[in-house]
């Protein structure tokens, strides 16, 4: 009996893995055909399959032709390709099948990658989603991936503050700010949450599409990390068909969009003398020296030009191999990027301090059909960054450039000694070239393995799926540090503790990981051709460790059910039951429901045959979402009490003491967010597409520290416990337009535009009402947008807004908090009329908040014969910022003077009635150098973001080279920028001269398809 059972078991296993072959052996016929579009042009890559039997699938070739096997009894085949309506046809054996696909500008039959590895037909989707295809992202010649999304996704605000190699990621927000806590969107890579993943290291050539999930219906299933939106990245996968090889290469020259400009050395000396006189001091430079600086007989420097090159180069190479059959589909991609920097470094015998980035990308996606009912996939994404630079980072170097006056000789003597001044211990030349080096290696690994078992043999539409995802990040740096002697211009030594030293080596390393499991029970079926049912329940568990902390654990139970009738009416419900260790037991689990619906009006019988209306859908969603991204501090329910070293006591005993930090709150729990979205999707004349969404978010139970509590209780404000007491509202709209037209002359035109508006208001943050203390504006946060900035208003009633004499100051009768004004300083308004100028008189600055209220973008693509042209514009509006520091404040370091300071107030300039555009210069503090409306400026901008001009070699020529396609192109990024910014030679996304610039890029490239 035992042997009999073993034999039966073995036979069952054999049947399981050979059943597919048995089924294949039943094939009796072969059909063939061709796929064309409305213009009778062949379509390459169309997928033809037998409905409900996907193992019988093939694809069309470059001539639109296909041949496929069919099972016994089959009578229908379906054809799908993005951009066209799906077409199902009956076939007759021994007769070619001819598909003529109709273009689908509305994308009704487009398959959307949505939450939790699900796919939905766009025509029946009830959520708010914006998507950009990878073929558009590769048009941006940028080293970092995140910048390719800027201006292309409706509702996405993207801010870039630098183009530093390996550190040029943009900061992204979806629909603005919902809370004062945790507003970063969740990044999901191929359906797997990737909280540690640096998406900026992605190779755009590997990306199929990027979507942002914006409303509750779209993002709820990702739990409390998704409250502020989800960035859904889908990488390319292999498709059925012959093996394809694509090679891409390009070379770029990169420059600063704005290069700082300072006054000449002679002007600097004059302005420095004036600043000293204004402060009651004596001039530093004689008339003889000023004349020498002016005529060039005495050396002077623009240190930015000395240490920053005009341009840097970048090279990118990419090879993509893909293909597949009914059993196995594969895609392998390898990419390499090499980028230099603008910092001018000098290689020596021991090391090279030049900043260089070497990035290697490897992607491998494999899909395998193990059996008719069982398939699996394996995704692997590896990025390796090798960063070489000097011992000091770019931040230190950029900060140092203006620390030395332009009148100091240097940067080195003829015999190589480093020159500095008595006030500058770390001269820029030494920071770059004489301090050592660092070699950093960063490795990102993302792996996911999943299996799907089709239980259709039990009941049609039932399946189960399991996925394991693993993410690991490693950062390791080898440092070689050294020191060098410093000298004054006259050859005498300075800072004698610094001498030339041999290299000293050290190493640091950091490891992070994230592992998760997802399990699904899915049910998807259509009854009677009209009743669509889509449902699943899912379990999600994750474990994450970062920065040496205790592991983070989360788990969720999720459910989804959707019903559609006759492709017209859809209703959907979702829920998550989330658990996090961030809160005390009893508060860790919470239920969050969401409901949504859609009405496809254009499928109603009274509109179905209209020529002008191609598609019309009305959507609505509402639901609760949680947020546990409250603070970097762990376990907010527990008081932070530590036993710490207290040092020696009476020089004989070593003591310890107890230190009480942040107070715990055992009742802390999830922030709650009620999110509503109302949208409409319209396509007219199968050409013009319009999508509009109005949305509203009410954030309650927002975790704050209650600063209305008196400090008399003995707890410092930074140690107050977090409590769920805050409230905040955020609302706005998204608008997306598209126009696609094929003209009879052969010109294809694609125009796209997008706009996202958001406005938030902090309605309750338990802020102290300062009315009784004499504040003209009693609140600094309540009633304003997040990040609202305040400053003094300037009183222009005297004609120019400056105190023009000491007598005028004395007659004002005002008292001043902090620095008292001098002649030439601003006159501030005493808003509360108490005779004092202090922070009680500060007012909110218009539009000066964390984020712009409006983000927009637009593009046009023209294709004519073998030429293609792409132009993209991008910008923001409704934003202003406070500018200070190097290049703005005149007192930075030894004085950094620009065009802004040329017309600074002086008694002579005032008496001569000359233009005055800046307060009196100073070498120290000044009442004018405070937060006031002069130093606030609108920083709206619009950029010519990308331009691409390409030419594809005629097929008769490329075929002679054994190529499927050969395309040459030139492109550029950030070519032009317009802005109302009042301060010159600054990029509107930057706030000081002493930061690494944002790039303008000129690029030439080549695409080869085999």
């Amino acid at each position: 009996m035992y042997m009999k059972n073993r034999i039966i078991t073995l036979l069952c296993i054999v049947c399981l893995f050979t059943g597919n072959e048995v089924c294949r052996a039943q094939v009796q016929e072969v059909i063939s055909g061709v796929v064309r579009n409305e213009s009778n042009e062949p379509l390459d890559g169309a997928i033809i399959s037998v409905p409900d039997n996907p193992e019988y699938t093939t694809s069309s070739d470059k001539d639109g032709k296909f041949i496929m096997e069919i099972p016994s009894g089959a009578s229908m085949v379906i054809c799908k390709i993005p951009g066209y309506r799906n077409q199902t046809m009956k076939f007759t054996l021994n007769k070619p099948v001819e598909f003529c696909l109709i273009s689908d500008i509305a994308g009704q039959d487009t398959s959307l990658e949505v939450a939790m590895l699900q796919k939905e037909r766009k025509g029946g989707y009830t959520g708010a989603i914006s998507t950009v295809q990878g073929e558009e992202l590769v048009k941006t010649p940028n080293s970092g991936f995140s910048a390719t999304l800027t201006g292309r996704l409706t509702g996405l605000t993207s801010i870039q503050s630098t183009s530093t190699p390996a550190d040029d990621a943009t900061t992204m927000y979806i629909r603005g700010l919902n809370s004062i806590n945790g507003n970063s969107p969740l990044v999901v890579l191929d359906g797997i949450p990737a909280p540690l993943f640096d998406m900026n290291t992605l190779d755009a050539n590997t990306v199929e599409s990027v979507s942002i999930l914006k409303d509750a219906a779209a993002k709820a299933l990702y739990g409390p990390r998704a409250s502020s939106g989800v960035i859904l990245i889908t990488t390319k996968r292999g498709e059925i068909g012959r093996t394809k090889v694509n090679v891409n290469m390009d070379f770029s020259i990169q420059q600063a969009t704005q290069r700082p400009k300072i006054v000449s050395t002679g002007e600097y000396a004059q302005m420095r003398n004036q600043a000293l006189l204004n402060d009651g001091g004596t001039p530093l430079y004689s008339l003889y020296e000023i004349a020498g600086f002016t005529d060039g007989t005495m050396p002077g420097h623009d240190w930015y030009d000395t240490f920053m090159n005009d341009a840097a180069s970048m090279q990118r190479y990419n090879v993509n191999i893909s293909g597949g059959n009914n059993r196995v589909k594969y895609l392998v991609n390898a990419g390499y990027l090499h980028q230099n920097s603008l910092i001018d470094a000098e290689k020596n015998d021991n090391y090279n301090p030049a900043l260089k980035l070497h990035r290697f990308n490897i992607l491998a996606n494999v899909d395998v059909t193990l059996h008719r009912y069982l398939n699996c996939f394996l995704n692997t994404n590896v990025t390796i960054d090798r960063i070489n630079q000097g011992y000091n980072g770019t931040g230190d170097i950029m900060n140092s450039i203006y620390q030395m006056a332009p009148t100091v000789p240097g940067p080195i003597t003829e015999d190589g000694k480093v020159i500095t001044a008595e006030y500058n211990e770390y001269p820029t030349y030494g920071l770059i070239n004489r301090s050592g080096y660092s070699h950093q290696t960063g490795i990102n690994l993302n792996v996911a393995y999943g299996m799907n078992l089709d239980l259709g043999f039990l009941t049609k539409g039932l399946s189960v799926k399991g996925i394991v995802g693993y993410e690991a990040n490693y950062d390791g740096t080898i440092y070689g540090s050294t020191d060098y002697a410093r000298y004054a211009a006259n050859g005498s030594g300075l800072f004698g503790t610094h001498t030339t030293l041999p290299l000293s080596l050290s190493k640091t390393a950091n490891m992070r990981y994230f592992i998760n499991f997802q399990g699904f029970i899915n049910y998807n079926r259509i009854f009677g051709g009209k009743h669509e049912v889509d449902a699943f329940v899912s379990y999600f568990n994750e474990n994450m460790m970062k920065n040496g902390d205790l592991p983070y654990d989360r788990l969720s139970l999720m459910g989804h059910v959707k019903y559609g009738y006759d492709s017209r009416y859809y209703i959907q419900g979702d829920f998550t039951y989330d658990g996090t260790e961030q809160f005390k037991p009893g508060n860790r689990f919470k239920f969050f429901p969401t409901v949504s619906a859609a009405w496809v009006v254009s499928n109603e019988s009274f509109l179905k045959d209209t020529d002008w209306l191609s598609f019309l859908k009305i959507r609505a969603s509402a639901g609760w979402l949680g947020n546990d991204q409250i603070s970097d501090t762990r376990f907010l329910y527990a008081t932070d009490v530590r036993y710490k070293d207290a040092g020696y006591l009476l020089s004989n005993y070593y003591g310890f003491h107890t230190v009480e930090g942040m107070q715990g709150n055992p009742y802390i729990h999830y922030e709650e967010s009620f999110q509503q979205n109302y949208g409409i999707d319209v396509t007219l004349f199968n050409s013009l597409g319009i999508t509009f969404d109005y949305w509203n978010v009410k954030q309650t139970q927002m975790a704050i520290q209650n600063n209305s509590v008196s400090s008399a209780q003995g707890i410092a404000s930074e140690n107050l416990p977090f409590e769920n007491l805050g409230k905040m509202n955020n609302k706005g709209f998204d608008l997306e337009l598209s126009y696609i037209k094929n003209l009879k002359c052969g010109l294809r035109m694609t125009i796209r535009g997008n706009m996202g508006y958001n406005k938030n208001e902090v309605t309750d943050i338990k802020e102290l009402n300062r009315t009784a203390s004499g504040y003209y504006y009693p609140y600094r946060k309540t009633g304003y947008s997040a990040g609202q900035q305040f400053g003094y208003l300037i009183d222009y009633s005297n004609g120019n807004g400056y105190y023009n004499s000491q007598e005028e100051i004395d007659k004002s009768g005002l008292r001043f908090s902090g620095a008292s004004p001098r002649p030439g300083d601003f006159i501030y308004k005493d808003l509360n009329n108490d005779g004092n100028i202090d922070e009680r008189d500060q007012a909110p600055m218009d539009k000066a908040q964390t984020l712009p209220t409006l983000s927009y973008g637009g593009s046009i693509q023209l294709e004519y014969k073998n030429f293609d042209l792409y132009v993209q514009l991008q910008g923001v509006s409704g934003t202003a910022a406070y500018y200070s520091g190097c290049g703005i404040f005149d007192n930075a370091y030894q004085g950094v003077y620009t065009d802004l300071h040329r017309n600074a107030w002086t008694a002579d300039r005032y008496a001569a009635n000359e233009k005055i555009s800046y307060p009196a210069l100073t070498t120290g503090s000044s009442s004018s150098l405070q937060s006031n409306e002069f130093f606030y400026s609108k920083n709206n901008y619009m950029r010519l973001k990308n331009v691409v001009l390409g030419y594809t070699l005629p097929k008769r020529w490329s075929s002679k080279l054994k190529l499927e396609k050969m395309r040459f192109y030139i492109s550029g990024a950030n070519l032009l920028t317009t802005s109302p910014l009042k301060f010159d030679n600054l990029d509107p996304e930057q706030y000081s001269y002493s930061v690494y610039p944002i790039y303008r890029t000129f690029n030439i490239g080549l695409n080869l398809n085999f």
Side-chain angles (χ1 to χ4, degrees):
M1 178 63 70
Y2 174 79
M3 182 59 68
K4 180 180 179 180
N5 290 338
R6 293 289 298 273
I7 293 173
I8 292 174
T9 302
L10 180 60
L11 288 174
C12 289
I13 294 173
V14 172
C15 288
L16 176 65
F17 289 98
T18 61
N20 193 43
E21 298 306 320
V22 172
C23 180
R24 300 292 290 186
Q26 297 173 357
V27 172
Q28 296 179 351
E29 299 293 342
V30 174
I31 64 171
S32 62
V34 64
V35 183
R36 297 187 178 93
N37 62 15
E38 302 154 289
S39 302
N40 205 35
E41 298 170 333
L43 294 177
D44 183 12
I47 302 299
I48 303 95
S49 61
V50 177
D52 299 324
N53 208 339
E55 62 180 312
Y56 295 96
T57 302
T58 190
S59 64
S60 61
D61 61 19
K62 62 181 179 179
D63 297 317
K65 297 179 180 180
F66 68 91
I67 185 170
M68 67 182 296
E69 298 172 326
I70 58 170
S72 175
S75 62
M76 306 280 288
V77 286
I78 185 171
C79 182
K80 301 178 181 180
I81 188 171
Y84 293 86
R85 297 295 305 270
N86 297 346
Q87 187 175 9
T88 302
M89 289 185 64
K90 283 187 176 182
F91 61 85
T92 302
L93 295 176
N94 303 318
K95 184 177 179 181
V97 180
E98 296 187 2
F99 287 101
C100 182
L101 301 187
I102 301 172
S103 62
D104 181 22
I105 303 302
Q108 298 180 59
D109 291 330
T110 300
S111 179
L112 292 177
E113 301 283 346
V114 296
M116 307 306 293
L117 280 169
Q118 304 298 307
K119 293 185 177 182
E120 291 199 28
R121 195 174 63 88
K122 185 178 179 181
Y125 190 59
T126 62
I129 185 173
S130 291
T131 301
V132 61
Q133 300 301 316
E135 62 189 20
E136 186 168 355
L137 300 179
V138 296
K139 299 180 189 298
T140 299
N142 202 76
S143 61
F145 177 76
S146 59
T148 67
L149 303 179
T150 303
R152 290 188 167 120
L153 289 165
T154 312
L156 179 71
T157 300
S158 183
I159 300 171
Q160 184 170 19
S161 59
T162 179
S163 289
T164 305
D167 191 26
D168 58 349
T170 62
T171 303
M172 289 179 285
Y173 302 88
I174 296 176
R175 290 183 167 179
L177 303 176
N178 292 337
S179 170
I180 62 171
N181 305 306
N183 286 287
S184 297
L186 173 67
V187 176
V188 176
L189 180 65
D190 287 325
I192 311 298
L196 302 178
F197 179 59
D198 182 3
M199 65 180 288
N200 200 51
T201 63
L202 264 180
D203 184 343
N205 289 283
T206 67
V207 175
E208 181 68 30
S209 66
V210 176
S211 299
I212 56 172
L213 310 183
K214 299 186 287 188
D215 71 338
K219 63 191 177 182
L221 292 171
Y222 282 113
R225 277 201 304 252
S227 179
S228 294
V230 176
I231 300 176
L232 199 64
I233 302 171
T234 303
T235 59
K236 294 179 178 178
R237 311 195 73 81
E239 297 179 349
I240 292 175
R242 66 177 183 85
T243 298
K244 298 179 181 179
V245 179
N246 299 326
V247 179
N248 305 289
M249 58 189 78
D250 62 35
F251 176 81
S252 301
I253 296 296
Q254 299 180 310
Q255 303 173 332
T257 56
Q258 291 287 345
R259 197 169 177 90
K261 294 180 182 178
I262 61 172
V263 299
S264 67
T265 307
E267 289 178 292
Y268 167 83
Q270 294 177 15
M271 295 168 78
R272 191 62 175 172
N273 281 352
Q274 183 63 56
L276 288 164
L277 290 172
N278 292 342
D279 292 340
T282 57
L284 179 62
Y285 300 100
S286 67
L287 294 177
Y288 173 79
E289 289 175 312
I290 292 173
F293 290 133
T294 301
D295 62 23
T297 56
M298 296 186 67
H301 295 280
D302 182 333
W303 292 116
Y304 192 94
D305 285 345
T306 301
F307 296 114
M308 298 293 287
N309 292 319
D310 292 332
S313 64
M314 179 178 71
Q315 305 170 59
R316 299 186 298 174
Y317 305 91
N318 178 274
V319 179
N320 182 297
I321 303 173
S322 65
N325 53 38
N326 290 326
R327 278 287 191 175
V328 179
K329 292 178 288 186
Y330 60 90
L331 182 142
V332 179
N333 186 94
Y336 170 70
L337 177 147
H338 175 244
Q339 186 181 29
N340 294 309
S341 81
L342 295 176
I343 296 175
D344 187 10
E346 298 175 3
K347 183 178 181 180
N348 59 51
D349 294 336
N350 296 318
Y351 57 87
N352 183 2
L355 173 56
K356 298 175 182 290
L357 167 64
H358 299 268
R359 175 171 293 157
F360 305 87
N361 295 90
I362 298 174
L363 173 78
N365 290 338
V366 181
D367 299 277
V368 180
T369 300
L370 299 172
H371 180 269
R372 178 177 180 180
Y373 297 109
L374 183 65
N375 57 67
C376 67
F377 69 84
L378 177 64
N379 302 337
T380 305
N381 194 321
V382 181
T383 301
I384 301 173
D385 277 1
R386 299 294 302 272
I387 306 166
N388 180 89
Q389 61 180 329
Y391 184 79
N392 298 285
T394 56
D396 293 334
I397 292 170
M398 298 305 299
N399 277 323
S400 75
I401 285 178
Y402 290 107
Q403 289 184 16
M404 198 145 62
T407 55
V408 177
I412 57 175
T413 63
E414 292 182 358
D415 58 353
K417 294 178 179 177
V418 179
I419 295 177
T420 187
E422 64 276 1
Y423 52 78
N424 187 10
E425 186 175 359
Y426 298 97
T428 305
Y429 183 89
L431 285 175
I432 297 173
N433 299 302
R434 300 288 177 88
S435 298
Y437 68 90
S438 69
H439 294 163
Q440 181 180 353
T441 299
I443 302 175
N444 293 325
L445 171 66
N446 291 78
V447 179
Y449 177 76
M451 298 189 74
N452 184 77
L453 178 61
D454 184 354
L455 299 178
F457 55 84
L458 296 179
T459 182
K460 187 178 179 181
L462 183 65
S463 65
V464 294
K465 181 189 294 185
I467 303 167
V468 176
Y470 178 74
E471 178 182 1
N473 302 129
Y474 168 82
D475 277 314
T477 305
I478 297 175
Y479 294 97
S481 62
T482 184
D483 207 350
Y484 56 95
R486 280 86 159 157
Y487 296 89
N490 61 10
S492 60
L494 292 175
F495 304 105
T497 57
H498 293 283
T499 58
T500 302
L501 298 175
L503 280 170
S504 174
L505 299 181
S506 61
K507 181 179 180 180
T508 62
N510 190 16
M511 176 73 180
R512 300 168 294 279
Y513 75 81
F514 173 79
I515 189 169
N516 66 87
F517 169 77
Q518 300 179 59
F520 296 85
I521 301 176
N522 298 284
Y523 185 72
N524 192 313
R525 190 169 178 179
I526 299 177
F527 296 89
K530 290 188 176 182
H531 303 275
E532 302 175 43
V533 177
D534 176 26
F536 69 81
V537 291
S538 175
Y539 171 77
F540 180 84
N541 195 344
E542 70 174 62
N543 176 266
M544 178 173 64
M545 188 276 290
K546 58 181 181 179
N547 304 326
D549 294 343
L550 292 172
Y552 295 71
D553 291 296
R554 283 189 181 88
L555 58 86
S556 295
L557 178 66
M558 293 157 282
H560 163 88
V561 61
K562 181 177 181 179
Y563 171 73
Y565 175 72
D566 197 22
S567 298
R568 289 183 289 167
Y569 313 112
Y570 295 89
I571 186 167
Q572 175 179 314
D574 300 279
F575 77 85
T576 60
Y577 185 63
D578 301 306
T580 176
E581 61 175 6
Q582 183 77 340
F583 310 123
K584 185 179 179 180
N587 293 329
R588 290 180 172 175
F589 288 88
K590 183 74 175 180
F591 180 82
F592 298 101
T594 298
V595 64
S596 59
W599 177 24
V600 185
V601 185
S602 55
N603 284 346
E604 294 289 352
S605 58
F606 56 87
L607 288 174
K608 211 163 189 178
D609 297 325
T610 56
D611 295 331
W612 60 275
L613 183 63
S614 305
F615 183 69
L616 173 60
K617 180 173 68 173
I618 299 172
R619 298 173 281 107
S621 69
W624 291 95
L625 283 81
N627 177 30
D628 66 350
Q629 309 295 293
I630 294 174
S631 169
D632 292 333
T633 303
R634 300 287 303 277
F635 312 122
L636 297 175
Y637 58 86
T639 298
D640 186 359
V641 179
R642 300 173 187 262
Y643 192 52
K644 288 190 173 183
D645 178 1
Y648 282 98
L649 180 64
L650 301 177
S651 301
N652 293 316
Y653 302 98
Y654 202 71
F656 292 84
H657 64 162
T658 301
V659 177
E660 188 175 45
M662 181 177 289
Q663 300 295 297
N665 174 14
Y667 305 106
I668 191 76
H669 55 79
Y670 291 95
E671 294 185 357
E672 296 181 5
S673 177
F674 182 64
Q675 304 191 8
Q676 303 171 70
N677 189 93
Y678 307 96
I680 183 170
D681 305 310
V682 184
T683 303
L684 304 175
F685 302 103
N686 202 29
S687 297
L688 176 62
I690 305 170
T691 295
F692 179 83
D693 286 90
Y694 169 78
W695 51 270
N696 193 350
V697 177
K698 294 185 180 296
Q699 194 86 3
T700 58
Q701 307 292 314
M702 192 164 63
I704 62 170
Q705 292 173 292
N706 189 354
N707 288 301
S708 64
V709 175
S710 172
S711 60
Q713 63 178 319
I715 300 176
S717 59
E718 64 270 16
N719 288 333
L720 289 170
F722 278 87
E723 301 177 76
N724 296 102
L725 300 174
K727 296 178 182 178
M728 185 169 168
N729 294 336
N730 187 26
K731 60 184 178 181
F733 67 84
D734 297 337
L735 176 63
E736 189 169 341
L737 303 173
S738 65
Y739 181 76
I740 302 175
K741 191 71 174 177
N742 293 320
L743 303 181
K744 292 181 179 180
C745 63
L747 176 68
R748 178 177 173 83
M749 179 169 51
T750 303
I751 302 173
R752 300 186 188 278
N754 68 79
M755 176 188 299
Y757 173 83
N758 71 89
K759 176 67 174 177
N760 66 73
E761 180 184 354
V762 178
T763 56
D764 188 359
I765 203 169
K766 301 305 175 187
E767 185 181 8
L768 184 66
N769 187 324
R770 300 174 178 86
T771 302
S773 299
Y775 282 77
Y776 190 78
Y777 291 91
Y779 295 107
R780 290 296 184 262
K781 297 179 180 179
T782 306
Y784 301 106
S785 295
Q788 176 66 57
Q789 295 177 311
F790 283 72
Y792 291 109
L793 300 180
I794 297 173
D795 185 353
Y796 291 97
S797 60
N798 72 339
N800 67 356
Y802 301 97
Y803 289 112
N804 296 300
S805 66
Q806 184 62 46
E807 180 183 8
E808 188 175 359
I809 297 173
D810 296 339
K811 285 184 176 180
S812 70
L814 295 171
R815 297 179 298 275
F816 304 93
S817 174
S820 296
R822 311 158 301 158
D825 281 332
F826 289 126
I827 304 172
Y828 295 140
K829 291 183 178 180
D830 181 18
L831 295 181
N832 63 358
N833 296 314
D834 66 351
N836 292 307
I837 300 296
D838 54 24
E839 66 174 12
R840 296 172 176 82
D841 299 301
Q842 290 187 350
M845 299 290 103
D846 185 40
K847 304 297 184 183
Q849 65 254 344
T850 301
L851 293 180
T853 57
L854 185 69
S855 299
Y856 60 89
S859 67
I860 179 170
Q861 179 160 328
L862 304 175
E863 299 169 74
Y864 181 72
K865 295 185 177 180
N866 293 342
F867 291 92
D868 60 271
L869 174 66
Y870 174 85
V871 179
Q872 183 199 6
L873 300 175
Q874 175 266 331
V876 301
S877 186
T879 178
Y882 175 57
Y883 288 80
S884 62
C886 183
I888 307 298
F889 279 5
D890 61 287
N891 67 341
Y893 309 125
Q894 300 303 304
V896 180
Y897 304 130
T898 69
D899 285 341
L900 176 67
H901 309 106
R902 274 199 169 98
N903 297 316
W905 186 97
T906 64
D908 292 340
R909 184 169 285 120
Y910 172 70
N913 198 29
E914 296 177 2
K915 176 183 177 181
I916 297 175
S917 58
Y918 193 84
L921 301 177
T922 182
T923 61
S925 61
S926 162
S927 65
S928 292
L929 302 183
Q930 302 182 67
S931 178
N932 64 64
E933 63 177 313
F934 177 84
F935 292 108
Y936 280 88
S937 174
K938 292 182 178 179
N939 56 348
N940 310 331
Y941 70 84
M942 182 174 70
R943 296 192 195 274
L944 180 55
K945 192 66 177 177
N946 290 288
V947 176
V948 184
L949 176 62
Y951 175 75
T952 301
L953 207 64
K955 286 189 176 181
R956 66 179 183 276
W957 294 351
S958 59
S959 60
K960 292 179 180 180
L961 300 172
K962 307 299 182 183
L963 293 171
E964 186 72 27
K965 180 181 178 181
M966 185 175 190
R967 176 176 175 265
F968 306 90
Y969 65 92
I970 56 174
S971 62
N974 292 340
L975 297 179
L976 295 172
T977 302
T978 61
S979 174
L981 183 65
K982 69 169 69 171
F983 307 114
D984 295 334
N985 305 315
L986 269 179
D987 189 279
E989 293 189 270
Q990 297 185 311
Y991 303 95
S992 170
Y993 278 12
S994 56
V995 293
Y996 194 89
I998 293 174
Y999 282 155
R1000 174 190 297 115
T1001 302
F1002 301 93
N1003 183 64
I1004 183 170
L1006 174 65
N1007 306 135
L1008 302 174
N1009 295 351
F1010 295 88

